[in-house]
Every structure is written in structure tokens, then in C-alpha cells.
């Protein structure tokens, strides 16, 4: 409760310098963090803690001599502390907005670069399409000329093809008539040979041959029916 003198103030100042030196406030600037703003906020926080301690001691010393002066200093300290506490929050909010805007700007820049590349690619593709269209147009014109020549040649050969077709039809009919005559002659000779064989069998009484003949016909009929059955299956 004894009023403080000049010596106590000097000791308090030396204590403050000692705390600042021990806390390494000057070295906090080089502390690695997410950004320079975070380093600055850490510096402010460390210094604010030391200043609070010094303010408390200084207010105590003043309050011994004058209570009202001590209360005023305490009120000023509280307002000052509240102000310093709001500043980092506002700085963080501002920093977040700035980083968000930077991300938006970066995204917009990337979109612009992508759009520029897309436009360049589309221009290149458009040039290729134009060249391809020009080439296809030339090929179509050449094909049209070739088609016109082919149609003229086809029209010129139409009469010749018609003559070939008539000649082919005439030759086909003649060959069909010859085949029909050969088939008739074959049937006549087959019937005559069969009749002659039956007469020889009857005259010589060749019962074994007759049985073989009948068995052959029967076997032929059975095979025909079997073939029909297999075809239906």
C-alpha cells in the first residue's frame, strides 16, 4: 500500500524489456506459418500478453496513490485490450476474403486460359474441316465426272448386252431341249433294259434274281421314306 516511486517504475520498465527479450518477440517475425499475416498475429498476441502484465502492475502502483486514476487506467486498458482483440479477428476475416477472392481470380484465370485453348483448338479443327470439305468437294466433282462417263459407256453397251442376253436365252433353250431329249432316251433305254431283264428272268426261271430285284425295289422305297423322315427331323 506504499506509494510507488521512480525506482519501481524503472524496475517495471526493465522487467518489461526482460520479458520481451525472453519471449523472443523480435524473433517471432521469422516464425514459419501459413502466411505473413499469421506471423504478425502471433507477434501481436505475444506482445499483448506482456503488455497486460505491465499494465496490471502499473495500474496497481497508480491505484495506491490515487484510486480514481487507477480505475481510469484500468478502464482504458480494457478498452485497449478489446480493440486489440477485435483487430486480429477483422484481419483474419479480411485475409479469408482476400484468399477466397484470390482463389476466385485464379479459377477465373484458369477458365480463361482453358477457354482460350478451346477457342484455339476449335479454330484448328474448323480449318481442318474446311480443308477436308474442299478435298471432298474435289473428289465428289471427279466422281461425278467418272459417273457421267460410266453412264454414257453403260448406255452405249446397253444394246450389246441385250444382244448377249438374247443369244444366251436361245442357247439355254436349245440346251434344255437337248437335256430333255437325253432324259427321255435314258428313260426309254432304262425301261427297255428292265423289261428285257424281266423277260430273261421269266424265261430262264431265275427266281434268285427276281427276289433280288424285288428286294432292291423294297430297299429303295424304305431308303426314300427314311430320307424323308430324316429331312423332317
Amino acid at each position: 500500500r506504499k506509494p510507488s516511486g521512480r525506482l519501481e517504475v524503472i524496475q517495471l520498465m526493465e522487467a518489461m524489456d526482460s520479458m520481451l527479450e525472453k519471449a523472443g518477440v523480435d524473433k517471432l517475425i521469422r516464425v514459419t506459418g501459413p502466411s505473413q499475416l499469421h506471423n504478425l498475429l502471433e507477434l501481436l498476441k505475444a506482445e499483448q500478453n506482456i503488455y497486460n502484465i505491465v499494465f496490471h502492475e502499473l495500474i496497481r502502483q497508480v491505484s495506491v496513490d490515487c484510486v480514481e486514476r487507477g480505475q481510469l487506467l484500468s478502464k482504458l486498458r480494457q478498452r485497449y485490450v478489446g480493440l486489440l482483440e477485435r483487430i486480429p479477428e477483422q484481419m483474419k476475416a479480411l485475409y479469408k476474403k482476400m484468399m477466397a477472392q484470390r482463389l476466385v481470380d485464379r479459377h477465373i484465370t484458369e477458365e480463361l486460359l482453358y477457354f482460350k485453348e478451346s477457342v484455339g483448338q476449335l479454330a484448328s479443327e474448323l480449318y481442318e474441316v474446311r480443308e477436308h470439305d474442299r478435298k471432298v468437294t474435289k473428289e465428289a466433282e471427279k466422281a461425278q465426272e467418272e459417273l457421267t462417263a460410266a453412264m454414257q459407256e453403260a448406255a452405249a453397251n446397253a444394246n450389246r448386252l441385250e444382244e448377249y442376253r438374247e443369244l444366251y436365252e436361245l442357247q439355254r433353250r436349245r440346251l434344255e431341249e437337248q437335256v430333255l431329249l437325253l432324259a427321255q432316251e435314258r428313260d426309254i433305254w432304262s425301261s427297255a433294259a428292265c423289261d428285257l431283264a424281266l423277260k430273261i428272268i421269266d424265261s430262264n426261271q431265275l427266281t434268285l434274281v427276281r427276289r433280288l430285284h424285288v428286294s432292291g425295289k423294297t430297299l429303295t422305297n424304305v431308303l426314300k421314306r427314311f430320307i424323308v423322315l430324316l429331312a423332317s427331323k
Side-chain angles (χ1 to χ4, degrees):
R1 297 183 180 277
K2 182 180 179 181
S4 301
R6 182 172 177 274
L7 179 62
E8 285 77 6
V9 176
I10 294 174
Q11 291 178 352
L12 181 60
M13 185 182 301
E14 291 176 354
M16 182 183 70
D17 293 337
S18 177
M19 284 188 293
L20 290 174
E21 183 179 359
K22 289 181 181 180
V25 174
D26 295 334
K27 297 180 181 179
L28 285 176
I29 301 177
R30 297 188 295 270
V31 175
T32 58
S35 65
Q36 188 176 1
L37 177 63
H38 290 77
N39 296 335
L40 180 60
L41 293 177
E42 291 294 330
L43 174 63
L44 292 176
K45 184 177 180 181
E47 290 189 9
Q48 185 179 359
N49 292 331
I50 296 174
Y51 296 155
N52 285 333
I53 296 174
V54 177
F55 262 117
H56 278 294
E57 177 60 22
L58 186 60
I59 292 170
R60 186 193 65 80
Q61 294 179 8
V62 172
S63 297
V64 173
D65 186 38
C66 181
V67 178
E68 290 77 8
R69 189 180 294 121
Q71 292 177 353
L72 178 59
L73 287 175
S74 177
K75 187 175 182 180
L76 288 174
R77 185 195 66 82
Q78 293 177 359
R79 300 290 296 179
Y80 175 73
V81 170
L83 177 62
L84 290 181
E85 288 179 352
R86 288 197 301 271
I87 290 176
E89 297 298 329
Q90 294 177 358
M91 292 179 65
K92 288 182 180 180
L94 181 61
Y95 176 76
K96 290 181 180 179
K97 291 182 180 179
M98 183 180 65
M99 293 302 295
Q101 185 63 35
R102 185 177 298 177
L103 291 176
V104 172
D105 293 340
R106 184 182 300 174
H107 181 69
I108 292 175
T109 304
E110 292 176 355
E111 291 292 333
L112 289 175
L113 292 176
Y114 177 74
F115 179 73
K116 184 178 179 181
E117 293 177 357
S118 300
V119 170
Q121 185 177 1
L122 289 176
S124 178
E125 293 178 357
L126 180 60
Y127 176 76
E128 293 178 358
V129 169
R130 288 179 178 176
E131 292 295 327
H132 180 70
D133 183 65
R134 186 178 301 140
K135 183 178 179 181
V136 169
T137 302
K138 292 182 179 179
E139 292 179 354
E141 292 176 355
K142 184 178 179 181
Q144 183 67 28
E145 294 176 357
E146 293 178 354
L147 180 61
T148 303
M151 291 179 64
Q152 293 176 356
E153 185 179 358
N157 295 329
N159 294 331
R160 187 181 303 172
L161 291 175
E162 184 65 22
E163 293 176 357
Y164 288 159
R165 189 184 65 81
E166 292 177 357
L167 181 61
Y168 169 76
E169 291 293 334
L170 180 62
Q171 185 69 17
R172 185 178 62 81
R173 286 195 297 269
R174 188 175 65 180
L175 290 176
E176 288 178 352
E177 292 176 356
Q178 291 179 359
V179 170
L180 181 60
L181 292 174
L182 289 175
Q184 292 176 356
E185 291 179 358
R186 182 197 63 191
D187 294 338
I188 293 172
W189 281 105
S190 177
S191 178
C194 184
D195 294 339
L196 180 60
L198 290 175
K199 289 181 179 179
I200 292 173
I201 290 171
D202 291 337
S203 61
N204 296 324
Q205 297 181 356
L206 299 176
T207 57
L208 180 59
V209 175
R210 179 179 291 277
R211 290 178 182 176
L212 289 175
H213 178 67
V214 174
S215 299
K217 287 184 176 181
T218 304
L219 181 59
T220 301
N221 293 330
V222 171
L223 288 176
K224 287 181 179 180
R225 293 180 180 178
F226 184 69
I227 290 172
V228 173
L229 180 62
L230 287 178
S232 64
K233 294 296 183 181

